Amino acid sequence: MKIENPWKQNPWFESVAVAQRRAQKRLPQPVYGALVAGSERGQTIHDNQAAFGELGMLPHVAGHHADRSMTRTVLGHEVSLPVLISPTGVQAVHPDGEVAVARAANARGTIMGLSNFASKSVEEVVEACPNTFFQMYWTGDRDVMVQRMERAHKAGAVGLIATLDWSFSMGRDWGSPEIPEKVDLKTMVRMAPKVVTKPRWLYEFGKTGQIPDLTAPNLAPPGGEAPTFFGAYYEWMTTPPPSWEDVAWMRDRWTELSGTPFVLKGVGRVDDARRAVDAGVSAISVSNHGGNNLDGTPAAIRLLNPIANAVGGEIEVLMDGGVRRGSDVVKALALGARAVLIGRAYLWGLAANGQAGVENVFDVLRGGIDSALLGLGVASIDELTPEHLLIPEGFHRS
């Protein structure tokens, strides 16, 4: 017998902000709190979004184009809009997790980024979206890292993202969310008061017969068991941090293995961007880890233009951090980004309505990009420059 959803409502939402409100209403507080995150006082996570509001648009009153294009080749792949999926770990906001996100990315013609801390395997995700880039932290010894690269390549990943911008800034002024080591009977009983008040979330998992998976299958050794999220986190904390020589080594191993793009994520300085070029990377992502890293780091959009001016002629420059609207995407492209990556935005969509919710987020952003292109009087995202923006004095940081 088919079980009907007793909480069924109009699933469509008109903005990422609405998706976030629906996610907050649907998710247990610890799960929602893990998505909001942000380190220490939350200065960086706030600035990531607020900085976009400081940039104005300079529209034309006539001479608009009836047809507008937002397609672009990014990292060797043509995408239908310059918005990519940024890799985020353990997506327990929905039973389908990263697979739902990958299907949405594939349906909307863009690139999927898969975290090696994900709750779904790289094999499942690549099957759902062939244009998947596998993301790795610098964890474990070199043999372990090569084994993980080989698995991703064998699965069909078309690029590697190295995320190296984590620090130990974990304390939050508003308190860290409770994330269990594993979800077992004892944990479910202890957390029941926080979960039972969210019947829609329980219903989604209940109808699939699943419980939230907090393991990291992509970190499992050959023939071994997947570590828990905290087991993976411990491996990272006990791995000596990488040098620039290590970055070059990682890039060389991936290039020898796959020959596909290597992206360095987490760049926030011009001198680091130049060293990334020297290390041979294909692209960098200007990022502060969504405000989850060292608090007090300026918004990624403030750092973008100086870095793009310095190295944009040699490698592709991406940006992630704080993108919630199509106009945010346009501002980033005008300041030199080849494309942007989104994180929390699609997680809100996933929590609100699964794969369809992620597709809804893409459609919201697409509509906003198109509206901005129309108002600015350009026919393509390729025409965007800083002259289309009103940029306050002192906005850029370098």
Side-chain angles (χ1 to χ4, degrees):
M1 182 179 69
K2 183 179 180 181
I3 301 176
E4 295 295 334
N5 184 350
W7 300 281
K8 190 174 183 179
Q9 60 180 359
N10 179 11
W12 185 84
F13 44 82
E14 64 183 6
S15 70
V16 173
V18 173
Q20 181 176 354
R21 289 196 292 271
R22 290 191 183 180
Q24 184 175 15
K25 187 175 181 180
R26 179 184 292 264
L27 296 174
Q29 190 280 325
V31 179
Y32 179 77
L35 297 188
V36 175
S39 60
E40 297 183 340
R41 65 168 58 87
Q43 177 180 340
T44 295
I45 190 175
H46 171 76
D47 195 38
N48 267 352
Q49 293 186 63
F52 279 106
E54 296 179 23
L55 295 169
M57 295 279 202
L58 295 171
H60 286 287
V61 70
H64 299 149
H65 298 268
D67 298 309
R68 297 164 297 279
S69 172
M70 60 187 78
T71 60
R72 174 166 277 182
T73 299
V74 180
L75 300 168
H77 300 269
E78 184 174 290
V79 295
S80 68
L81 77 169
V83 180
L84 320 181
I85 291 293
S86 185
T88 62
V90 187
Q91 296 173 13
V93 301
H94 189 274
D96 294 335
E98 294 85 358
V99 171
V101 177
R103 288 172 179 156
N106 193 52
R108 292 301 182 265
T110 191
I111 292 170
M112 170 72 183
L114 176 68
S115 172
N116 66 351
F117 278 26
S119 58
K120 302 295 183 182
S121 72
V122 63
E123 290 81 8
E124 293 176 277
V125 171
V126 170
E127 182 179 0
C129 181
N131 285 345
T132 292
F133 276 59
F134 186 66
Q135 177 261 6
M136 287 178 56
Y137 294 100
W138 185 263
T139 62
D141 61 32
R142 287 189 172 191
D143 288 342
V144 167
M145 284 185 261
V146 168
Q147 176 267 314
R148 290 168 181 166
M149 291 184 208
E150 289 174 342
R151 177 178 173 182
H153 171 61
K154 184 178 179 181
V158 295
L160 191 74
I161 301 172
T163 302
L164 307 180
D165 65 331
W166 256 3
S167 73
F168 293 96
S169 301
M170 296 174 287
R172 300 180 177 96
D173 288 359
W174 54 91
S176 296
E178 181 183 5
I179 303 175
E181 171 72 13
K182 60 181 178 179
V183 181
D184 53 17
L185 180 60
K186 182 178 179 181
T187 301
M188 288 190 285
V189 170
R190 178 170 54 83
M191 300 192 73
K194 297 179 180 179
V195 174
V196 75
T197 58
K198 302 296 181 179
R200 294 179 183 179
W201 186 74
L202 282 174
Y203 170 81
E204 288 295 332
F205 279 93
K207 71 180 183 180
T208 65
Q210 299 181 51
I211 59 174
D213 188 356
L214 300 183
T215 61
N218 296 307
L219 298 181
E225 293 186 359
T228 64
F229 177 84
F230 285 101
Y233 193 77
Y234 177 78
E235 179 186 75
W236 164 70
M237 292 181 69
T238 55
T239 302
S243 65
W244 280 106
E245 288 73 22
D246 291 324
V247 174
W249 171 86
M250 196 176 194
R251 179 265 179 192
D252 289 345
R253 295 293 80 73
W254 178 254
T255 301
E256 291 171 2
L257 182 68
S258 172
T260 58
F262 179 93
V263 183
L264 181 61
K265 187 173 181 289
V267 176
R269 297 170 56 114
V270 170
D271 55 353
D272 277 357
R274 290 194 175 113
R275 296 194 75 168
V277 172
D278 293 340
V281 307
S282 312
I284 58 173
S285 180
V286 178
S287 170
N288 51 42
H289 213 102
N292 289 322
N293 191 32
L294 188 61
D295 198 30
T297 305
I301 191 67
R302 298 188 192 278
L303 303 169
L304 173 61
N305 194 242
I307 291 173
N309 287 340
V311 301
E314 300 172 79
I315 59 173
E316 294 186 33
V317 177
L318 314 175
M319 192 221 77
D320 74 86
V323 173
R324 299 291 186 274
R325 300 164 184 84
S327 59
D328 295 342
V329 179
V330 167
K331 291 171 182 178
L333 300 186
L335 293 179
R338 187 73 184 163
V340 304
L341 298 99
I342 57 172
R344 290 183 180 89
Y346 76 77
L347 290 174
W348 304 139
L350 179 65
N353 195 30
Q355 176 185 340
V358 180
E359 293 176 8
N360 195 157
V361 167
F362 278 124
D363 294 343
V364 165
L365 296 178
R366 183 188 297 277
I369 295 169
D370 186 63
S371 179
L373 295 180
L374 174 63
L376 292 173
V378 298
S380 167
I381 58 174
D382 294 332
E383 299 176 29
L384 293 168
T385 70
E387 283 66 41
H388 289 105
L389 306 180
L390 186 63
I391 305 171
E393 185 177 354
F395 178 82
H396 301 302
R397 305 286 192 271
S398 63

